[in-house]
Amino acid sequence: MTDTRQIILAAGLAFAGAVPISIASTSHAIASPTGEEQLNRDSDQALQRLYESHPSVESLSRNARAVLIFPNVVKAGFVFGGAYGEGELKQGSKIDGYYNSVTASWGFQAGVQSYGYAVFLMTKRAVSYLHRTQGWEIGVGPTVVIVDEGVAKNLSTSTMKDDAYAFIFDQKGLMAGVSIEGTKISHINPR
């Protein structure tokens, strides 16, 4: 999906008010005219940037059962906000499905920003839950720990006890902070 289309979609979500997240839970086609090949490239490049900026994440990825990567999520808001992005689930080098990420929010907020995030699924339970439910809402289901730079430096195979670890990266724009809590991740069909 082009940046312009993502901004328009996020702005539409922002000004639509409290958008029911269940709307996003139905299967949709990937909206990008370049489709899954471009999303594959963007996801690979985003993971590489994440690994370069946080070397400990690459070692974490070797222990992950799968990685859910959203290379570009656009968020817009003025009191009511919305965010949208598309990504893929990778198990090793194999792509195991495509997903979208939708968030609706309200409160003190104004602006537009973009960011990427990756969720490293560490257990069979987490991967099974994602497949069985065709997605999930962050904060419901498997335990997801949102990792900041300080925590990332101290992660090791002996300290990783949770189902999934999420890393937010490449923040750009005029909006303070990013949260993926309450984000609805749904399976989508490629064109």
Side-chain angles (χ1 to χ4, degrees):
M1 180 177 281
T2 65
D3 288 342
T4 305
R5 288 178 65 195
Q6 282 185 302
I7 290 170
I8 291 169
L9 180 58
L13 286 172
F15 295 111
V19 177
I21 296 298
S22 62
I23 291 172
S25 65
T26 59
S27 291
H28 300 285
I30 292 177
S32 175
T34 57
E36 60 189 89
E37 286 180 8
Q38 183 65 46
L39 184 55
N40 296 345
R41 266 193 305 275
D42 291 347
S43 295
D44 288 342
Q45 290 170 356
L47 270 179
Q48 193 58 42
R49 284 191 312 273
L50 178 60
Y51 295 157
E52 288 170 3
S53 62
H54 303 288
S56 62
V57 176
E58 190 167 11
S59 63
L60 171 77
S61 72
R62 287 191 284 273
N63 294 308
R65 302 245 180 218
V67 180
L68 190 55
I69 177 79
F70 292 93
N72 187 33
V73 178
V74 175
K75 179 179 181 180
F78 183 75
V79 182
F80 293 101
Y84 181 84
E86 294 175 347
E88 61 189 25
L89 179 66
K90 290 185 132 185
Q91 289 188 314
S93 60
K94 178 184 170 251
I95 297 165
D96 194 24
Y98 295 93
Y99 293 81
N100 66 16
S101 172
V102 179
T103 306
S105 59
W106 66 275
F108 183 69
Q109 58 187 330
V112 177
Q113 72 175 346
S114 66
Y115 58 93
Y117 74 94
V119 181
F120 293 83
L121 305 171
M122 306 307 292
T123 64
K124 286 181 184 178
R125 178 178 161 248
V127 176
S128 174
Y129 184 87
L130 182 62
H131 285 139
R132 189 176 65 254
T133 61
Q134 296 291 299
W136 90 72
E137 182 178 337
I138 303 286
V140 177
T143 303
V144 178
V145 175
I146 299 173
V147 181
D148 62 20
E149 286 189 47
V151 173
K153 290 177 184 174
N154 296 317
L155 278 178
S156 69
T157 54
S158 60
T159 61
M160 294 183 301
K161 304 288 184 208
D162 291 292
D163 295 319
Y165 293 88
F167 294 83
I168 299 169
F169 56 91
D170 287 349
Q171 286 181 257
K172 299 174 190 114
L174 299 172
M175 192 175 249
V178 174
S179 172
I180 60 171
E181 187 75 23
T183 295
K184 175 66 176 162
I185 298 170
S186 301
H187 186 263
I188 56 177
N189 297 317
R191 287 185 186 176

